[in-house]
Amino acid sequence: MTSSDFCVGDPSLPRGPQGYACKDPAKVTTDYFVYTGFRGEKTPNNVFGNNVTLAFSNVFPAFNGLGISMARLDFVVGGVIPIHSHRTSEVLILVKGSIIAGFIDTNNTAYYNRLEIGDVMVFPQAMVHFQINVGKTPATAYVSLNGANPALQLTPTSLFAGNLPANIAQKITLLSRKEVMQMQRIFGAA
């Protein structure tokens, strides 16, 4: 049996460019269309003072084939989502706190603003962007991305947590060797 209405993904099978293979629609229940992973308090747990809860098709298989995904962003006071990019566009709605959010275009023009509860901001496809909690309380935002697998590339971890040699990181960032080594220690590469 097949359904032309939806394709709930089967993450136990290999993923292809179009997503996961579809589960048998006869075995799909309403529960597959409900995601509960955003419930409750989320404790920021990293050097950036954030917690990102992803709802991509690998954890919410109903998104498979629909070209959408979501995430919940939680920030401590002063917490950040560091400069990063996706291969998709993103829409953010702030539901708690106050943040500065922005992106930088390919002309190096920064577009940023202080957002308050209920404000929405869009980040165009592939633009590097960021969020900073500038309020006096924790902050929470939800984002939706126009891709089931939008990918996430954090610039700091791309430069300092992987296998990029320190001497190359030093040349491409204009940081001193000491600064590069410090960043590699922070991000676990050294």
Side-chain angles (χ1 to χ4, degrees):
M1 174 182 220
T2 62
S3 172
S4 58
D5 297 322
F6 56 83
C7 175
V8 172
D10 188 345
S12 70
L13 298 173
R15 182 187 181 125
Q18 302 303 316
Y20 294 103
C22 303
K23 286 188 177 289
D24 178 351
K27 297 179 180 176
V28 172
T29 66
T30 302
D31 291 340
Y32 283 99
F33 298 97
V34 177
Y35 179 70
T36 61
F38 290 159
R39 289 182 183 173
E41 291 298 314
K42 306 294 182 185
T43 304
N45 55 4
N46 58 40
V47 68
F48 297 113
N50 74 47
N51 184 328
V52 177
T53 306
L54 300 176
F56 291 4
S57 60
N58 61 323
V59 295
F60 189 21
F63 275 158
N64 190 60
L66 298 180
I68 55 174
S69 55
M70 295 185 71
R72 174 180 165 164
L73 315 177
D74 290 278
F75 309 77
V76 297
V77 174
V80 303
I81 304 293
I83 196 98
H84 67 282
S85 64
H86 309 279
R87 56 179 157 240
T88 63
S89 300
E90 176 179 326
V91 176
L92 175 147
I93 182 167
L94 187 66
V95 297
K96 178 180 170 187
S98 179
I99 66 172
I100 290 178
F103 67 92
I104 303 167
D105 74 7
T106 57
N107 293 316
N108 298 321
T109 301
Y111 298 87
Y112 60 94
N113 209 333
R114 184 178 182 124
L115 304 181
E116 303 296 336
I117 295 171
D119 291 348
V120 173
M121 186 165 185
V122 66
F123 306 96
Q125 180 176 347
M127 295 291 103
V128 293
H129 57 286
F130 60 89
Q131 295 90 28
I132 307 165
N133 181 354
V134 293
K136 296 182 186 326
T137 63
T140 302
Y142 291 92
V143 298
S144 182
L145 302 105
N146 66 331
N149 183 22
L152 168 65
Q153 185 171 25
L154 294 172
T155 304
T157 53
S158 293
L159 290 170
F160 305 113
N163 66 345
L164 186 66
N167 64 328
I168 294 174
Q170 183 180 347
K171 288 184 186 307
I172 65 174
T173 63
L174 302 179
L175 296 172
S176 70
R177 179 154 180 84
K178 181 180 177 185
E179 291 168 321
V180 168
M181 298 305 286
Q182 179 182 7
M183 295 300 283
Q184 287 182 331
R185 277 191 297 279
I186 289 170
F187 294 107

